Amino acid sequence: MVSDVRRKKLLFAFKKFFDADESGAVEKKDFEKSLDRIVRLQGWKESDVVFNVAKDIMNQIWEGFQSSADSDNDGKVSTEEWIKMWDLQDKETLPEWNNLFCKVCFHLQDKSGDGKVDEEEFVKVHEVFGGPKEDAVEAFKKLSQGQSSLSWEEFQKLFKDFFLSDDADAPGNYIFGTINFLKE
Ligand SMILES: [Ca+2]
Ligand SMILES: [Ca+2]
Protein backbone atom coordinates (compact mmCIF):
# COMPACT_ATOMS: atom_id res chain seq x y z
CA MET A 1 0.00 0.00 0.00
CA VAL A 2 1.07 3.55 -0.69
CA SER A 3 2.06 5.24 2.60
CA ASP A 4 0.18 8.25 3.93
CA VAL A 5 3.06 10.62 3.07
CA ARG A 6 3.23 9.30 -0.46
CA ARG A 7 -0.53 9.40 -0.92
CA LYS A 8 -0.53 13.10 0.03
CA LYS A 9 2.24 13.82 -2.45
CA LEU A 10 0.56 11.86 -5.22
CA LEU A 11 -2.79 13.57 -4.69
CA PHE A 12 -1.09 16.96 -4.65
CA ALA A 13 0.64 16.27 -8.01
CA PHE A 14 -2.63 14.93 -9.41
CA LYS A 15 -4.52 18.08 -8.48
CA LYS A 16 -1.82 20.60 -9.17
CA PHE A 17 -0.33 19.29 -12.40
CA PHE A 18 -2.58 16.81 -14.08
CA ASP A 19 -6.18 17.80 -13.34
CA ALA A 20 -5.81 21.22 -14.95
CA ASP A 21 -9.57 21.97 -15.09
CA GLU A 22 -10.11 20.74 -11.50
CA SER A 23 -12.87 18.33 -12.50
CA GLY A 24 -11.58 15.62 -10.14
CA ALA A 25 -10.43 13.35 -12.98
CA VAL A 26 -7.65 13.63 -15.54
CA GLU A 27 -8.55 13.52 -19.23
CA LYS A 28 -6.87 14.42 -22.49
CA LYS A 29 -8.36 17.91 -22.31
CA ASP A 30 -6.49 18.55 -19.05
CA PHE A 31 -3.23 17.97 -20.93
CA GLU A 32 -4.40 20.39 -23.62
CA LYS A 33 -5.08 22.98 -20.96
CA SER A 34 -1.66 22.43 -19.39
CA LEU A 35 -0.07 22.85 -22.81
CA ASP A 36 -1.86 26.19 -23.15
CA ARG A 37 -0.42 27.31 -19.82
CA ILE A 38 3.07 26.29 -20.87
CA VAL A 39 2.69 28.08 -24.20
CA ARG A 40 1.73 31.28 -22.39
CA LEU A 41 4.56 30.91 -19.90
CA GLN A 42 7.10 30.49 -22.70
CA GLY A 43 5.53 32.99 -25.09
CA TRP A 44 5.41 30.49 -27.99
CA LYS A 45 3.29 30.85 -31.11
CA GLU A 46 1.39 27.98 -32.75
CA SER A 47 3.63 28.30 -35.78
CA ASP A 48 6.79 27.72 -33.70
CA VAL A 49 8.56 24.38 -34.13
CA VAL A 50 9.01 24.19 -30.36
CA PHE A 51 5.24 24.46 -29.90
CA ASN A 52 4.69 21.40 -32.05
CA VAL A 53 7.41 19.48 -30.27
CA ALA A 54 5.81 20.36 -26.91
CA LYS A 55 2.39 19.32 -28.19
CA ASP A 56 3.76 15.98 -29.32
CA ILE A 57 5.48 15.40 -25.95
CA MET A 58 2.31 16.27 -24.01
CA ASN A 59 0.44 13.72 -26.17
CA GLN A 60 3.04 11.09 -25.39
CA ILE A 61 2.78 11.83 -21.66
CA TRP A 62 -1.01 11.61 -21.78
CA GLU A 63 -0.94 8.31 -23.69
CA GLY A 64 1.53 6.78 -21.21
CA PHE A 65 -0.37 8.19 -18.24
CA GLN A 66 -3.65 6.82 -19.51
CA SER A 67 -2.33 3.40 -20.44
CA SER A 68 -0.75 2.92 -17.00
CA ALA A 69 -3.50 4.44 -14.86
CA ASP A 70 -6.89 4.30 -16.60
CA SER A 71 -7.71 0.76 -15.52
CA ASP A 72 -11.40 0.84 -16.52
CA ASN A 73 -10.44 2.49 -19.82
CA ASP A 74 -13.11 5.20 -19.79
CA GLY A 75 -10.75 7.93 -20.96
CA LYS A 76 -10.52 9.44 -17.47
CA VAL A 77 -8.09 8.78 -14.67
CA SER A 78 -9.74 9.10 -11.26
CA THR A 79 -7.80 9.69 -8.03
CA GLU A 80 -8.48 6.05 -7.06
CA GLU A 81 -7.01 4.81 -10.35
CA TRP A 82 -4.03 7.13 -9.91
CA ILE A 83 -3.22 5.81 -6.41
CA LYS A 84 -3.81 2.22 -7.52
CA MET A 85 -1.31 2.67 -10.34
CA TRP A 86 1.37 3.64 -7.81
CA ASP A 87 0.40 0.72 -5.57
CA LEU A 88 1.20 -1.61 -8.44
CA GLN A 89 4.32 0.22 -9.60
CA ASP A 90 7.70 -1.02 -8.32
CA LYS A 91 9.40 1.38 -5.92
CA GLU A 92 12.71 1.72 -7.77
CA THR A 93 11.76 3.11 -11.15
CA LEU A 94 9.40 5.70 -12.54
CA PRO A 95 7.15 4.84 -15.47
CA GLU A 96 8.52 6.07 -18.81
CA TRP A 97 5.83 8.76 -19.19
CA ASN A 98 6.82 10.14 -15.79
CA ASN A 99 10.47 10.40 -16.87
CA LEU A 100 9.23 12.40 -19.83
CA PHE A 101 7.19 14.61 -17.48
CA CYS A 102 10.36 15.10 -15.38
CA LYS A 103 12.24 16.26 -18.49
CA VAL A 104 9.49 18.72 -19.36
CA CYS A 105 9.54 20.15 -15.80
CA PHE A 106 13.31 20.54 -15.92
CA HIS A 107 13.39 22.25 -19.30
CA LEU A 108 10.54 24.58 -18.41
CA GLN A 109 12.47 25.77 -15.38
CA ASP A 110 15.87 25.97 -17.05
CA LYS A 111 14.93 29.13 -18.87
CA SER A 112 18.53 30.12 -19.59
CA GLY A 113 19.20 26.67 -21.09
CA ASP A 114 22.52 26.09 -19.29
CA GLY A 115 21.52 22.62 -18.07
CA LYS A 116 20.92 23.77 -14.48
CA VAL A 117 17.95 25.16 -12.59
CA ASP A 118 18.87 28.05 -10.31
CA GLU A 119 16.78 29.64 -7.57
CA GLU A 120 15.43 32.48 -9.68
CA GLU A 121 14.29 30.11 -12.44
CA PHE A 122 12.70 27.74 -9.95
CA VAL A 123 10.83 30.45 -8.09
CA LYS A 124 9.60 32.12 -11.29
CA VAL A 125 7.91 28.96 -12.58
CA HIS A 126 6.24 28.20 -9.25
CA GLU A 127 4.90 31.72 -9.06
CA VAL A 128 3.40 31.37 -12.55
CA PHE A 129 1.72 28.15 -11.43
CA GLY A 130 0.17 30.00 -8.51
CA GLY A 131 2.35 29.05 -5.53
CA PRO A 132 3.47 31.61 -2.92
CA LYS A 133 6.94 32.97 -3.63
CA GLU A 134 8.26 32.43 -0.09
CA ASP A 135 7.33 28.73 -0.24
CA ALA A 136 9.23 28.33 -3.49
CA VAL A 137 12.30 30.11 -2.06
CA GLU A 138 12.24 27.81 0.98
CA ALA A 139 11.69 24.76 -1.25
CA PHE A 140 14.70 25.61 -3.39
CA LYS A 141 16.91 25.80 -0.27
CA LYS A 142 15.83 22.31 0.79
CA LEU A 143 16.24 20.88 -2.69
CA SER A 144 19.63 22.39 -3.42
CA GLN A 145 21.06 21.86 0.10
CA GLY A 146 22.92 25.16 -0.15
CA GLN A 147 24.10 24.86 -3.75
CA SER A 148 23.28 27.63 -6.19
CA SER A 149 21.63 25.38 -8.76
CA LEU A 150 20.31 21.89 -9.51
CA SER A 151 21.84 19.80 -12.29
CA TRP A 152 19.72 17.49 -14.44
CA GLU A 153 21.01 14.45 -12.50
CA GLU A 154 20.14 16.04 -9.16
CA PHE A 155 16.76 17.14 -10.41
CA GLN A 156 15.93 13.63 -11.65
CA LYS A 157 16.85 12.08 -8.31
CA LEU A 158 14.74 14.62 -6.36
CA PHE A 159 11.84 14.19 -8.76
CA LYS A 160 11.97 10.42 -8.34
CA ASP A 161 11.96 10.77 -4.54
CA PHE A 162 8.85 12.91 -4.74
CA PHE A 163 6.92 10.08 -6.39
CA LEU A 164 8.55 7.07 -4.73
CA SER A 165 9.87 7.98 -1.27
CA ASP A 166 7.89 7.37 1.93
CA ASP A 167 10.22 9.65 3.91
CA ALA A 168 8.41 12.81 5.12
CA ASP A 169 11.82 14.58 5.28
CA ALA A 170 13.10 13.66 1.81
CA PRO A 171 14.39 16.84 0.08
CA GLY A 172 12.64 15.69 -3.12
CA ASN A 173 9.28 16.30 -1.44
CA TYR A 174 9.88 20.00 -2.24
CA ILE A 175 10.29 19.51 -6.00
CA PHE A 176 6.94 21.18 -6.77
CA GLY A 177 7.69 24.26 -4.68
CA THR A 178 5.97 23.51 -1.35
CA ILE A 179 5.27 20.80 1.21
CA ASN A 180 2.27 22.50 2.79
CA PHE A 181 0.07 19.63 1.58
CA LEU A 182 1.95 17.27 3.94
CA LYS A 183 0.86 19.34 6.92
CA GLU A 184 -2.86 19.10 6.15
CA1 LIG B 1 -9.91 17.17 -15.28
CA1 LIG C 1 -10.82 5.57 -15.62
Side-chain angles (χ1 to χ4, degrees):
M1 282 296 281
V2 167
S3 65
D4 187 45
V5 167
R6 240 180 117 202
R7 173 182 295 269
K8 283 180 175 167
K9 292 193 285 183
L10 294 170
L11 290 177
F12 173 78
F14 184 93
K15 285 191 191 127
K16 184 151 171 111
F17 294 100
F18 296 113
D19 185 14
D21 67 1
E22 300 175 33
S23 68
V26 177
E27 298 162 79
K28 188 158 198 265
K29 64 179 183 188
D30 289 302
F31 278 78
E32 290 161 357
K33 195 164 175 169
S34 299
L35 179 65
D36 278 348
R37 273 192 202 161
I38 294 170
V39 167
R40 265 183 282 130
L41 174 70
Q42 305 287 58
W44 295 334
K45 292 192 289 294
E46 295 214 3
S47 55
D48 292 346
V49 172
V50 68
F51 169 81
N52 287 293
V53 171
K55 197 173 160 185
D56 186 48
I57 290 173
M58 289 301 271
N59 268 328
Q60 285 180 47
I61 297 177
W62 161 247
E63 281 165 16
F65 178 90
Q66 194 205 358
S67 71
S68 19
D70 185 11
S71 45
D72 66 1
N73 210 19
D74 67 348
K76 295 177 187 179
V77 174
S78 63
T79 51
E80 293 76 18
E81 286 176 324
W82 169 242
I83 298 293
K84 193 169 124 199
M85 183 202 94
W86 290 102
D87 257 338
L88 301 173
Q89 173 76 23
D90 79 75
K91 284 192 66 188
E92 303 307 318
T93 45
L94 287 174
E96 199 41 52
W97 67 264
N98 209 323
N99 285 324
L100 207 51
F101 175 53
C102 178
K103 241 179 237 176
V104 169
C105 291
F106 186 81
H107 288 293
L108 276 181
Q109 295 181 82
D110 179 19
K111 188 99 177 161
S112 70
D114 66 349
K116 295 171 195 154
V117 171
D118 63 31
E119 180 177 328
E120 196 187 326
E121 289 170 334
F122 183 85
V123 172
K124 175 89 202 306
V125 167
H126 291 285
E127 273 189 292
V128 170
F129 279 89
K133 184 176 179 180
E134 36 315 346
D135 285 7
V137 169
E138 173 71 14
F140 190 82
K141 283 202 183 82
K142 300 278 187 190
L143 291 164
S144 64
Q145 314 258 321
Q147 298 178 78
S148 61
S149 61
L150 299 170
S151 67
W152 166 232
E153 289 71 27
E154 288 158 349
F155 190 89
Q156 272 180 297
K157 160 117 194 15
L158 292 160
F159 193 89
K160 194 172 150 184
D161 281 350
F162 180 91
F163 287 95
L164 300 178
S165 171
D166 296 312
D167 180 359
D169 297 319
N173 296 353
Y174 289 88
I175 200 79
F176 295 126
T178 179
I179 57 153
N180 287 344
F181 56 88
L182 284 182
K183 297 165 190 159
E184 281 160 15

